[in-house]
Amino acid sequence: MVTTYLCHISRLSTSHQVRQNFSFIRRELTALSNCILQAMAASSTTLPPFTSRVNPTTGKLEWVVEDENYDFIQEIARSAYTDMLHDDERNKKYLAGIQKAISSVHSRGQQAHVLDIGTGTGLLAMMAAQCGADTVHACEAFEPIGKAARQIVAKNGFEEKIKVIMKRSTEIICGPDGDIPRRANILPAEVFDTELIGEGAIPTYLHAHKHLLTDDCICVPHAATIYAQVVQSTHVEAFHKLQPVRMTGCDDIIPNESMADCSGAASVYDLQLSQLSPDKFQPITEPLKMFTFNFSKGDFETKGQNEVRTTSLISGKCHCVFMWWELDMDPEGEVKLSTAPVWAHPDGNKAPWRDHWMQAVYFLQKPVETEKGQAINVTLTHDGYSLWFTVNSTTEEGPIERPICQCGAHVVWSRPRIGMLNDSARNIKYIAALKKVINPRSICLSISDGSLLPLIAARLGANKVYSLEPNSLSRRVMQGLLETNQLEQTVSLIPHLAQELPSSIFHSQVDVLIAEPFFISSLLPWHSLYFWYCRSALVPHLSDDAVILPQGALLRAIAVEFDHLWKFHAPIGDLEGFDVRIFDELTQKAIKDSDAKEEPHHLWEYPGRPLTADFNIMEFNFMETIPSVPIEVVGEVPFIGSGTCHGVAIWMDFKLDDKISVTTGLQNVVTEKSDVLDWCRTWKQGVHFLKHNPEIKNGSIQKLKYKASFKPESGNLFFEFEVMER
């Protein structure tokens, strides 16, 4: 029991505040552990499990009592189960593939023995039983889902036909006394992600062929083909590598050589490419068939490589590779399922929407120049879980190693963060605001993670700039930038949190406090209020007339009808004729128990329509100290559009000064004639999903009523939204 609770205690957040505040955490752990041991010695009462986490707004370490199944609940709530099951095309094409496989096996005079790997709700297993399979076994390693699958199978009348095994497929024993009595000759499985093989499809199929399947088996899907398209796109390239920051009247800020030469991270950058405007990229090649995995044969290896020779459609630069895949659900190739973006999809603009499978972007180490009509080689390499691409004019010799970030920036900065740092319009605003307050006597302090503001302030002539960089890897990256730009004498990186600064760390009081504000630990836009708590902790270090930039922030919102995003939370009910309400109860409870009502999403990838104008909810004045009592606001706004109200999008606008502000959310003005929402692409917005989704009608007297509460002690924001008829 002691071990169990100490494990709960040590399951710490990986945020930079925690990692850099280890001594404080160790003291807290020791004290709390002693309390637990004393309590256990004095009483036999069972203690509830708890976890430690850093509050992203206040920066404080908190101890939270959790449900005993906390980890399971988190996994269920954050999975894509519901979105996946709402994928009608997926469900129907799996059914078609299973029907054909069973008919084919029966036509050979054999019994159809089905093994469903990763059964989830039991859907594919029930499809197989309904289609006449002679035996059906299904495995599910995740125990809560496995138990639900057993209940769903029983509720739909298949308890005697389907055996659910709560093991990984690699743990299943085949034989008369094993989990399955014989090898299966039909394998339906859905073990794919955006990258196709990222969930372990290759080792899963290879193990199944070696230990669980007959030589003449049919897999559903039968095969998968990976497609790639080389494109030119300065817009997408801006999410890959730091670019120079143009500074009028002084030297630019430039990336160091290690950044410029770095291949970047090999991790997939998954995007809804269909939402990428056609004017943001130019195809260098047609879509290319790069690699095919025949799952029924299992004749592939853990590692593989294939080169395709093609010609360039235009003269330009190859910046990156767009990737997607297509499934053949049957050996004849009559039933196909494509994850292609709309411009390459066989159904064009009628292509089905899905989020559990999107498209992927793979960046090249450096842009490759090409001329129209020039021959180029595109090479795909894979291991058991990842893909990577190279593009050049010559044939690759030997295996191509998986790219690894050498500069550190691609480890510290997410791709949206790189895009944020490269946003020239945003940088122009910060430069303009800083020009107004920086002078040769300025002592500046920057509070943001991996920010370029300290370098900008130094370029603008500040006497001295300090930058809080508690994260050691981020500090290394920033030090490289300082040295490349010859600013290491002007800018000093401080390895402390604002709340822990020694009293004599600055030679003079700070007269300019600056922030983007951006923090690695922030998940939702308003978590950046952490700057306010830092500013309050820094009062002893600030001069009486210190400039605070940003001066304040506006919390803003808009009611939205989403085309598809609502599917993340919508219950399934009936699925291809099967009752899966048991699964709905499990997932809905998990979402309720583990998550806040607001979720972070890059809303530019999820189209929707405005139902109200954008409106202000709450204002925060960073020039003032944090209030000691809660702030609560109530209000209502009229609806200006018609549709289904799925939720409310929420974001922050940061007021740099009286005339300049930076938004993390909506970028266009919404009127009664607006039908498009233009969202900031480098920040995630918060979305409050309504439990009930009322229909809004033009000309109605319906209004959106809202209530927001800010609790200064915890830094938490709470929202309530309700559609009122009058």
Side-chain angles (χ1 to χ4, degrees):
M1 185 174 180
V2 175
T3 302
T4 300
Y5 280 94
L6 292 180
C7 286
H8 277 296
I9 295 168
S10 63
R11 193 170 58 220
L12 299 172
S13 164
T14 57
S15 70
H16 67 287
Q17 287 101 332
V18 172
R19 290 196 301 270
Q20 296 302 316
N21 199 11
F22 179 76
S23 61
F24 168 75
I25 295 168
R26 183 171 55 192
R27 292 195 303 271
E28 291 288 309
L29 290 176
T30 302
L32 191 54
S33 299
N34 289 335
C35 290
I36 291 172
L37 293 172
Q38 291 169 12
M40 291 174 64
S43 171
S44 60
T45 304
T46 301
L47 297 176
F50 54 92
T51 59
S52 59
R53 65 188 180 197
V54 170
N55 183 305
T57 307
T58 65
K60 294 180 180 178
L61 185 70
E62 300 175 338
W63 302 99
V64 183
V65 177
E66 302 287 3
D67 184 280
E68 63 180 359
N69 295 316
Y70 171 76
D71 291 332
F72 286 167
I73 291 170
Q74 286 281 310
E75 180 69 22
I76 294 168
R78 303 199 189 288
S79 68
Y81 288 121
T82 304
D83 161 45
M84 178 176 65
L85 294 173
H86 276 293
D87 187 344
D88 188 61
E89 184 198 33
R90 165 194 174 272
N91 300 335
K92 285 182 167 50
K93 290 192 173 179
Y94 263 96
L95 175 59
I98 290 169
Q99 284 175 327
K100 293 192 70 175
I102 292 173
S103 295
S104 178
V105 168
H106 282 166
S107 70
R108 299 193 307 228
Q110 300 174 346
Q111 288 190 331
H113 300 296
V114 175
L115 173 62
D116 173 10
I117 292 180
T119 194
T121 58
L123 175 63
L124 303 187
M126 291 188 294
M127 286 178 172
Q130 189 179 64
C131 291
D134 296 279
T135 65
V136 182
H137 291 80
C139 69
E140 175 57 57
F142 189 30
E143 186 176 350
I145 298 297
K147 289 179 178 178
R150 283 180 177 173
Q151 295 172 357
I152 292 169
V153 164
K155 186 169 185 177
N156 285 275
F158 296 107
E159 189 172 18
E160 299 300 321
K161 192 68 176 285
I162 300 172
K163 179 183 178 182
V164 178
I165 306 162
M166 281 191 280
K167 289 184 177 181
R168 298 180 183 277
S169 64
T170 52
E171 299 169 342
I172 289 178
I173 298 172
C174 180
D177 299 321
D179 300 300
I180 58 175
R182 66 186 67 81
R183 288 178 176 251
N185 52 15
I186 297 176
L187 172 64
E190 202 279 73
V191 290
F192 314 118
D193 64 354
T194 292
E195 202 170 16
L196 182 68
I197 62 174
E199 288 187 2
I202 290 176
T204 296
Y205 277 107
L206 291 178
H207 177 273
H209 275 284
K210 186 174 182 179
H211 299 284
L212 306 174
L213 300 175
T214 61
D215 293 338
D216 60 350
C217 71
I218 300 174
C219 291
V220 181
H222 166 73
T225 299
I226 294 174
Y227 286 82
Q229 185 170 28
V230 183
V231 301
Q232 172 177 277
S233 177
T234 55
H235 175 81
V236 178
E237 172 73 359
F239 289 77
H240 178 43
K241 289 189 179 182
L242 186 65
Q243 299 170 357
V245 177
R246 304 303 178 190
M247 301 279 295
T248 304
C250 54
D251 291 340
D252 295 339
I253 295 169
I254 59 174
N256 49 336
E257 188 175 339
S258 64
M259 286 185 181
D261 293 338
C262 185
S263 59
S267 57
V268 61
Y269 185 26
D270 50 347
L271 286 179
Q272 292 281 2
L273 284 180
S274 294
Q275 300 307 312
L276 190 64
S277 175
D279 63 357
K280 299 294 186 183
F281 68 95
Q282 297 80 44
I284 296 285
T285 70
E286 298 286 356
L288 307 170
K289 284 187 178 183
M290 295 300 305
F291 210 98
T292 296
F293 293 95
N294 187 315
F295 299 130
S296 292
K297 289 185 178 180
D299 56 353
F300 44 85
E301 302 291 336
T302 300
K303 295 183 178 180
Q305 186 168 300
N306 187 48
E307 183 179 83
V308 174
R309 190 169 179 82
T310 186
T311 55
S312 177
L313 299 174
I314 63 171
S315 297
K317 290 183 178 181
C318 306
H319 286 124
C320 55
V321 176
F322 291 167
M323 170 267 179
W324 60 90
W325 44 262
E326 180 180 84
L327 300 178
D328 286 325
M329 305 305 293
D330 60 322
E332 295 75 28
E334 296 173 350
V335 182
K336 293 181 179 291
L337 187 155
S338 174
T339 66
V342 291
W343 69 83
H345 198 281
D347 296 331
N349 289 328
K350 295 182 179 180
W353 179 88
R354 50 177 63 95
D355 201 67
H356 58 105
W357 298 329
M358 291 189 280
Q359 298 83 40
V361 178
Y362 295 85
F363 294 100
L364 306 179
Q365 181 171 353
K366 288 186 177 181
V368 177
E369 297 274 1
T370 184
E371 298 293 330
K372 183 177 180 180
Q374 178 183 341
I376 56 175
N377 297 318
V378 183
T379 304
L380 178 154
T381 310
H382 76 82
D383 58 19
Y385 296 90
S386 303
L387 310 174
W388 54 96
F389 292 85
T390 57
V391 176
N392 54 44
S393 57
T394 59
T395 298
E396 294 284 0
E397 297 292 339
I400 303 169
E401 295 300 318
R402 187 171 188 255
I404 298 175
C405 173
Q406 302 291 340
C407 71
H410 301 92
V411 178
V412 172
W413 297 332
S414 68
R415 284 171 173 123
R417 174 58 172 164
I418 295 174
M420 193 185 302
L421 294 172
N422 285 330
D423 186 338
S424 59
R426 180 176 179 274
N427 289 336
I428 286 171
K429 290 185 176 182
Y430 281 106
I431 293 169
L434 286 172
K435 275 184 176 179
K436 298 178 184 180
V437 299
I438 298 291
N439 62 61
R441 297 182 303 277
S442 295
I443 306 298
C444 302
L445 175 59
S446 173
I447 310 175
S448 286
D449 293 337
S451 177
L452 299 180
L453 292 190
L455 286 82
I456 293 173
R459 278 282 190 258
L460 292 175
N463 184 336
K464 184 65 179 178
V465 183
Y466 299 95
S467 178
L468 302 189
E469 285 289 353
N471 182 281
S472 59
L473 184 54
S474 180
R475 212 162 48 246
R476 193 191 85 183
V477 170
M478 297 309 299
Q479 186 63 39
L481 284 171
L482 293 177
E483 292 171 1
T484 296
N485 289 277
Q486 300 181 340
L487 294 173
E488 67 269 32
Q489 299 302 315
T490 305
V491 181
S492 295
L493 304 177
I494 300 176
H496 295 292
L497 301 172
Q499 295 87 344
E500 298 180 331
L501 286 178
S503 58
S504 59
I505 193 166
F506 304 125
H507 297 302
S508 304
Q509 285 195 307
V510 172
D511 50 28
V512 182
L513 180 64
I514 59 178
E516 300 186 41
F518 172 88
F519 305 100
I520 296 171
S521 57
S522 297
L523 297 176
L524 293 157
W526 50 90
H527 287 165
S528 292
L529 288 174
Y530 176 62
F531 169 66
W532 202 9
Y533 289 82
C534 291
R535 174 254 189 272
S536 299
L538 291 167
V539 167
H541 302 281
L542 302 179
S543 65
D544 293 338
D545 58 350
V547 174
I548 311 296
L549 188 156
Q551 297 177 355
L554 275 175
L555 184 68
R556 313 200 67 228
I558 188 170
V560 180
E561 176 186 50
F562 291 108
D563 286 357
H564 302 287
L565 191 59
W566 57 270
K567 295 175 183 177
F568 277 77
H569 291 277
I572 306 298
D574 181 88
L575 184 62
E576 296 300 317
F578 303 109
D579 184 346
V580 296
R581 282 176 291 180
I582 291 170
F583 175 79
D584 286 338
E585 293 169 6
L586 178 67
T587 54
Q588 295 299 309
K589 184 179 187 303
I591 291 170
K592 178 182 177 182
D593 290 349
S594 71
D595 289 343
K597 292 182 179 179
E598 293 75 42
E599 296 182 359
H601 291 285
H602 283 294
L603 287 183
W604 74 268
E605 295 186 66
Y606 304 100
R609 282 157 298 287
L611 297 179
T612 66
D614 46 309
F615 58 95
N616 297 337
I617 295 181
M618 191 178 289
E619 186 169 1
F620 304 92
N621 188 345
F622 297 156
M623 304 294 290
E624 300 176 353
T625 58
I626 298 172
S628 58
V629 296
I631 301 173
E632 185 174 289
V633 296
V634 296
E636 56 183 34
V637 292
F639 286 98
I640 61 173
S642 60
T644 302
C645 188
H646 291 121
V648 179
I650 312 168
W651 67 96
M652 297 284 274
D653 284 355
F654 294 105
K655 183 181 178 183
L656 303 187
D657 59 28
D658 292 337
K659 295 183 179 180
I660 304 174
S661 64
V662 173
T663 185
T664 66
L666 201 60
Q667 302 198 108
N668 63 318
V669 177
V670 173
T671 67
E672 292 185 6
K673 296 181 180 180
S674 300
D675 60 359
V676 174
L677 294 168
D678 183 15
W679 295 104
C680 174
R681 298 191 173 205
T682 56
W683 281 87
K684 285 186 177 181
Q685 294 74 42
V687 181
H688 179 105
F689 290 97
L690 299 184
K691 187 173 182 180
H692 304 289
N693 304 126
E695 290 294 325
I696 309 301
K697 299 179 181 178
N698 268 331
S700 71
I701 57 174
Q702 295 165 296
K703 292 184 177 181
L704 178 70
K705 183 179 180 180
Y706 64 86
K707 177 181 177 180
S709 303
F710 174 65
K711 310 293 185 183
E713 184 177 356
S714 65
N716 292 331
L717 271 162
F718 300 93
F719 301 93
E720 295 178 20
F721 296 96
E722 184 181 2
V723 175
M724 308 295 292
E725 292 298 326
R726 61 180 70 231

